[in-house]
Amino acid sequence: MTITDVARHAGVSTAAVSKVLRNAYGVSPAMREKVTAVISELGYRPHAAARGMRGRTYTIGVLLDNVRNAFFADILDGVQDELRTSEYTVLIGAAGFGPEEQARTIRSMVDRQMDGLILIAPGTPRGEILTTAASTPTVVIGHHDAADSHDSVVDADDVGAGLVVDHLVSLGHRDIALVSAHGTKANRWKRTPEIVLSDGYLEAMERHGLTDHARVHHAAYSDDGGFKAGMTLLTADRPPTAVMTGADVAALGIYRAAHELGLRIPDDLSLVGYNNTALAALAPVQLTSVDQAGHTMGSAAARMLIERVEGRRDRAMQTTMTPRLVERGSTTAPRAR
């Protein structure tokens, strides 16, 4: 089935059908209704490559490092809900944690003429992202580094870290550790989520006079990364009485390590996650977590991207989410030592 078949059945020109498909200006409601009805009747589906040659493929690429982080599911739900009534299709690239693998995935998306990209906390060097964004509309989620070439959606991670420290200190904790992702200076991102989170944590610890108790342990935001971090921290000469992590998925790994060591949460260890994913609210877990509105982040990113793709805005924007602490059963006062 071709565009010519659609035009013949509708009794209009192929140019008219093309205008309807492109949602072009100047198409009358009656023409749009007639062509749309024939498209539905014939089951016509435009060929993506052919559409790309004419200027738009109606595909949006979303880059993430892995599919096991439940927070990414919240972001993707927001993206999908925002685009649900549009012609755009979302294609996901789970590229792994390696910067080269992520860069290769981004290049593949560009080569396939995707109309725009949403990059979730990319590990790819900043220079390459800026080069990509100069030619392909791009939204970066997570990184606080603003740029003229791409839009950004971020959480006030320093504020979120402060909320956690304030909460734990109010319960009586002093030995509070942070488990944060590694990050890398080689990629030239100066204000990644983990850097901003760590800065907020250290500032809050200093504000409470607990600088000597502060410790940041670096681990991947995964169940395995959290487990390894938990085994290291909880078997130290002076283990923390409370641990906060930069992602719920890492907190669950620490939860598993505590269980293996015979420690109970929250009696022996208070634990706080970040993202407030659906996992945090599960009855056996009941994880205190920072909600950074993942669904809203995804929705905002999709909306901002389509504005750039369709030429409704040409200046870069940065949207910031305000975090809130959701208290559950994984935190309580520390036991006396």
Side-chain angles (χ1 to χ4, degrees):
M1 192 64 61
T2 68
I3 192 172
T4 302
D5 297 318
V6 173
R8 185 171 63 253
H9 279 76
V12 300
S13 66
T14 55
V17 176
S18 178
K19 283 186 176 182
V20 172
L21 292 171
R22 290 184 287 109
N23 198 26
Y25 177 77
V27 179
S28 69
M31 174 70 76
R32 187 179 307 282
E33 183 177 350
K34 177 193 291 187
V35 172
T36 301
V38 171
I39 287 173
S40 178
E41 178 187 343
L42 298 180
Y44 171 71
R45 184 168 60 90
H47 190 274
R51 296 180 88 179
M53 292 174 66
R54 294 194 299 271
R56 195 176 296 175
T57 61
Y58 293 93
T59 54
I60 300 298
V62 179
L63 176 87
L64 44 85
D65 54 38
N66 74 98
V67 295
R68 297 181 184 277
N69 190 333
F71 180 57
F72 295 161
D74 292 341
I75 293 176
L76 288 170
D77 280 347
V79 173
Q80 294 277 26
D81 285 348
E82 183 66 30
L83 300 179
R84 196 173 304 282
T85 58
S86 76
E87 291 187 80
Y88 293 93
T89 297
V90 176
L91 300 178
I92 299 168
F97 293 101
E100 204 34 66
E101 290 83 354
Q102 291 192 18
R104 188 161 53 246
T105 301
I106 291 171
R107 292 177 204 134
S108 295
M109 290 176 170
V110 173
D111 290 345
R112 284 160 177 76
Q113 297 180 297
M114 294 188 181
D115 294 327
L117 305 176
I118 296 174
L119 311 178
I120 304 177
T124 306
R126 186 168 186 244
E128 180 152 355
I129 299 298
L130 295 178
T131 300
T132 298
S135 59
T136 302
T138 300
V139 178
V140 175
I141 295 180
H143 294 339
H144 294 248
D145 303 67
D148 292 334
S149 59
H150 66 73
D151 294 324
S152 305
V153 179
V154 301
D155 179 61
D157 298 297
D158 50 348
V159 175
L163 293 175
V164 175
V165 173
D166 290 347
H167 168 65
L168 293 171
V169 169
S170 73
L171 294 173
H173 291 277
R174 296 174 60 81
D175 290 310
I176 304 167
L178 168 66
V179 173
S180 172
H182 293 278
T184 171
K185 293 181 180 179
N187 292 336
R188 303 292 182 182
W189 294 98
K190 295 181 179 179
R191 289 176 54 76
T192 61
E194 57 269 14
I195 290 174
V196 177
L197 186 76
S198 295
D199 287 348
Y201 160 78
L202 293 172
E203 289 168 5
M205 292 292 282
E206 181 180 12
R207 175 161 41 85
H208 287 287
L210 299 175
T211 300
D212 292 342
H213 294 267
R215 53 182 136 172
V216 179
H217 185 93
H218 292 114
Y221 285 158
S222 64
D223 177 78
D224 186 57
F227 178 78
K228 291 176 179 176
M231 294 301 288
T232 298
L233 288 169
L234 301 178
T235 58
D237 291 339
R238 185 177 179 84
T241 62
V243 176
M244 69 168 288
T245 69
D248 286 350
V249 64
L252 295 181
I254 293 174
Y255 198 108
R256 185 160 60 89
H259 178 76
E260 185 160 313
L261 294 170
L263 302 175
R264 293 174 299 170
I265 292 174
D267 297 337
D268 302 309
L269 175 73
S270 282
L271 183 62
V272 182
Y274 210 95
N275 305 147
N276 193 36
T277 60
L279 295 173
L282 291 176
V285 180
Q286 285 297 295
L287 180 68
T288 295
S289 185
V290 175
D291 191 327
Q292 56 175 327
H295 186 282
T296 305
M297 292 180 87
S299 177
R303 184 167 57 254
M304 293 162 70
L305 184 64
I306 298 306
E307 287 176 356
R308 294 293 286 269
V309 168
E310 298 187 345
R312 301 201 297 269
R313 176 171 53 82
D314 58 7
R315 291 188 178 182
M317 288 179 55
Q318 183 172 92
T319 298
T320 304
M321 304 292 133
T322 301
R324 65 185 180 91
L325 184 68
V326 180
E327 298 179 28
R328 296 191 179 93
S330 67
T331 51
T332 192
R335 281 188 170 186
R337 286 182 172 177

